[in-house]
Amino acid sequence: LKMNNMGVAPLWDGLMQFAKQEPASYHVPGHRHGQLYRQYIHETGLLKQGDVIDALAELARIDVTELSVTDDLHEPAGMIKEAQQKAATYFGADHTFFLVGGSTSGNLAIILSSCNVGDLIIVQRNVHKSIINGCKLAGVEVVFLSPDVEQMTGLMTVPSFSTLEAALHQYTEAKAVILTNPNYYGLSVKLEHYIELIHSYNIPVIVDEAHGAHYGLHTSLPQSALQVGADAVVQSTHKTLPALTMAAMLHIKGSRINLDRLQHNLAMLESSSPSYVLMASLDLARALMEHKGKEWIEQALQLIEELINWINKADLCIKLQQIDKSEQDLDQDPFRLLIYDSTTRMDGFELQREFEKYNIWVEMATTQYAVLVIHLSITEKDITQLKETILKITKSIEQKCYFNGHHSPSNRIHYINEATQISLPMKMERYKQYGSKKTILLDAAIGAKSAEMIVPYPPGIPILFEGETITASICEQIKVLTQLGARFQGNTTIEVGEIEVFMND
Amino acid sequence: LKMNNMGVAPLWDGLMQFAKQEPASYHVPGHRHGQLYRQYIHETGLLKQGDVIDALAELARIDVTELSVTDDLHEPAGMIKEAQQKAATYFGADHTFFLVGGSTSGNLAIILSSCNVGDLIIVQRNVHKSIINGCKLAGVEVVFLSPDVEQMTGLMTVPSFSTLEAALHQYTEAKAVILTNPNYYGLSVKLEHYIELIHSYNIPVIVDEAHGAHYGLHTSLPQSALQVGADAVVQSTHKTLPALTMAAMLHIKGSRINLDRLQHNLAMLESSSPSYVLMASLDLARALMEHKGKEWIEQALQLIEELINWINKADLCIKLQQIDKSEQDLDQDPFRLLIYDSTTRMDGFELQREFEKYNIWVEMATTQYAVLVIHLSITEKDITQLKETILKITKSIEQKCYFNGHHSPSNRIHYINEATQISLPMKMERYKQYGSKKTILLDAAIGAKSAEMIVPYPPGIPILFEGETITASICEQIKVLTQLGARFQGNTTIEVGEIEVFMND
């Protein structure tokens, strides 16, 4: 492998070289460089060369442990350190930490490293649950900011600039701001001004960029959070780049994050036997992208454009949602397609099931959209299959009676009461027993703490977290959303005007 | 693969079947069933069939994400649930949770699930750092119990029965007991009476059995913690059974652990994109052991016995440490060999380096021992290589001057002051700033909180954790150990009679 001989992938290369020397293992793991899998294959004679268990046996050659030559993720000094440095350079960070516990472990660790118990931080309300869990583990006070609405799609992005401005002005004691960008639908906000504003308060900006590991790797792609000055960025490398599932990275830029403390927290939360296969896949992903990324991105973008043009031209009931290009502050990830039925006869979940009928597996669905992640390896043949499938689904839609269709584009429900855009500070605790619960009329619940998480759908953003105080404005917001026809996630009585609250005892 | 056709490995089998249907992925991960690796191989022409990247590409076929057919680790209802149930049955648990974050994630989650902030728990002092971290995250008060000493080896096992008895009697408010068994050296204590005693207080026993995933799988092996009644057992399946590194299991038996709370905490600490490859390797490991385990264990034990007999007969300076078989309460893991130089010319670290010269990689070393993990796949050829290498190392030892040797078996230093066997309760906190530090004479430090962790070596068990109060008995213990010639880990002044403490401010 020339790439490795050039030393482009220090960890992958180092593990290969060690494997080639056919070391005799008297250490963990128990498969012994895959030997036990090979023994099974041999003894039972059940497997043919090329089977997945055979691949497992081969890959297990590099599934090693901390030895004098294999470095240590939690105290890197050799090939892991080198691989992390190469990643930092490529992604534009000062320091990069390989994560074997997914973006989850990065989000937990960075929150524990940015604030002490009782500190106040400002957090976008529509975040991944790992951010909420990190806040609970850290025992911080959180001011939640409601996200802004993209008008054409009704999808939520980050909070508006003015909301953030007001929150920072009101809570000058805030120790950090946490944003999520892009969202699950590939919509993202240009964060440069946000970050300048936050830095004017001299506190760090943490960006959960889980869905944007590919951002900034080509001029045709939106800029990455690191490129516009974020202090800490968590990326699910596995989601859009060629790393194995659960392999992610945490990038640090500048000096607002204490690296020792971060390293300590990562070592606390992540396995003390981190997977070398996952780590090597991160090194490989970076090396492959550095080597071939520009070319792959261009090829893929061309094919995506072809598909988009075809859909637009074909004038089908199936459409692609694209944001208004005049919206200067917004970006749309070209690798994420939002497909919907413009006649509203099929909702996103039905579209997803239709695709699955034809062995096409999409990323997710909402009432409105089937969301497709397009990969760097997309081919002309894939595009042809997609076109054919879209035509078949179109036929199914056309055969469908309007009466069974879902009602007017429900994703347009996005009433946010201005008074609730900035929440009251909420004390987050890992395991809080608030006492017993009762279900009461919503109107009677003002001032009480909610015993349930209230998530209207759309947009799927929690209006109330468990333990959050119910204010008059939140109450009004819930009522308006109910009138507009929003549904609520989970087994809740909120649609009939009742809510479960904690009793004061 | 017949095994799978028999449905013996539901998750591995299910993933295989899904892969065979060649699904078109428009979802994460970004390698697209390994397609991007294959594309790279094809485009560059740099790789030959059989290379590890080729294996990665094949294995990536089952590196999927949560789809309608692939179940969800955090809410298992399909093939992951089935695989976990089969594991529970095989290992003798009521419920088994697959861990993708190693035993670390299991230890953290079970501690968070067994106690609330401020609760008191009883913990063996010589535990893996993940237990200490779990206690910090949980914010509990810990009473540490010093371990007992195995007389022949000087190695520490679990606390003595009488120490545990006294601690439970003294701290009736204790909410759980945490033990580690076996230790890193393959020594284990028969826990049945311990567990009966703890259960008489109606609190759960949590056993970190990271190094004993193979325990109880054959009558020639020591009994597992589950077999003698433990409530929660964490096993590093990857360490001694054929699972990939970082794949582990948490087993629950009985009703003393709240399963909902545990599931909640696991979902908090582990990735929301758990690796299907790791999970499938757990299912495969269990299936392989169920199918072939007895046979493999017997073959391996026979070869190990041959090696032991040869070493004993050969009368070399290199010896194998074996415990006194008359010690009824102790077990020794036959799959872990403690090799030492009986002439004390080479310490364990030098033995480790000698082995490495011959491409033999051992698990770990101490001043005394090189520790070898013997695998189920061990062959006659491996034994021959080991014998030859031992003879070569023997020659190196014989050429070595006695003068350069290390002093009398230093692992025999094991003075434990009786008064320190049961520590004062210590409040564990995630991130405690105790204030500034100063270095003072040990004698003047009584009553102060240590600002450093003091770990005499041997035996490598912390006498003082950071933040722990220095008592007169601990002070005496440190002095005696220093006089006996113990060394202390890290950059400490303790050997010259000074200790760093936190100032009261």
Side-chain angles (χ1 to χ4, degrees), chain A residues 322-337:
Chain A
Q322 287 187 284
I323 59 162
D324 196 336
K325 296 230 163 136
S326 69
E327 292 217 46
Q328 300 266 327
D329 298 334
L330 275 181
D331 283 314
Q332 186 167 20
D333 180 359
F335 286 99
R336 210 159 278 231
L337 301 184

Side-chain angles (χ1 to χ4, degrees), chain A residues 123-195:
Chain A
V123 179
Q124 174 180 336
R125 195 175 268 274
N126 50 331
V127 285
H128 186 261
K129 64 173 184 160
S130 59
I131 302 275
I132 301 298
N133 288 330
C135 293
K136 286 181 180 174
L137 277 177
V140 290
E141 297 239 11
V142 174
V143 170
F144 287 106
L145 305 189
S146 294
D148 213 3
V149 177
E150 196 283 311
Q151 289 302 321
M152 198 172 236
T153 58
L155 295 172
M156 301 287 159
T157 59
V158 300
S160 72
F161 188 81
S162 57
T163 300
L164 178 63
E165 213 168 16
L168 285 165
H169 184 74
Q170 192 178 346
Y171 296 102
T172 48
E173 70 270 40
K175 291 290 190 296
V177 174
I178 305 181
L179 300 173
T180 300
N181 199 50
N183 66 14
Y184 294 173
Y185 312 98
L187 295 192
S188 54
V189 170
K190 292 190 169 72
L191 290 183
E192 196 156 11
H193 297 308
Y194 284 72
I195 292 171

Side-chain angles (χ1 to χ4, degrees), chain A residues 210-229:
Chain A
H211 293 271
H214 59 304
Y215 271 37
L217 300 184
H218 192 282
T219 49
S220 301
L221 291 173
Q223 283 194 297
S224 71
L226 281 172
Q227 285 172 334
V228 294

Side-chain angles (χ1 to χ4, degrees), chain B residues 364-397:
Chain B
M364 60 180 285
T366 70
T367 46
Q368 178 84 342
Y369 302 114
V371 183
L372 276 68
V373 171
I374 307 293
H375 290 283
L376 292 173
S377 61
I378 191 91
T379 61
E380 190 67 62
K381 198 177 148 201
D382 293 320
I383 297 291
T384 305
Q385 187 198 19
L386 272 181
K387 287 181 190 168
E388 285 168 5
T389 308
I390 287 171
L391 286 176
K392 286 176 198 160
I393 299 176
T394 301
K395 275 199 186 137
S396 304
I397 292 175

Side-chain angles (χ1 to χ4, degrees), chain B residues 50-105:
Chain B
D51 265 320
V52 179
I53 193 171
D54 193 51
L56 178 66
E58 287 312 296
L59 193 63
R61 289 185 191 279
I62 65 164
D63 186 50
V64 293
T65 189
E66 289 76 18
L67 300 169
S68 56
V69 293
T70 55
D71 209 1
D72 180 346
L73 176 64
H74 299 303
E75 281 180 69
M79 55 198 194
I80 294 174
K81 186 180 177 186
E82 250 187 274
Q84 290 187 151
Q85 280 171 346
K86 282 199 177 288
T89 305
Y90 181 64
F91 290 99
D94 291 337
H95 298 274
T96 290
F97 296 88
F98 284 0
L99 302 171
V100 291
S103 285
T104 297
S105 59

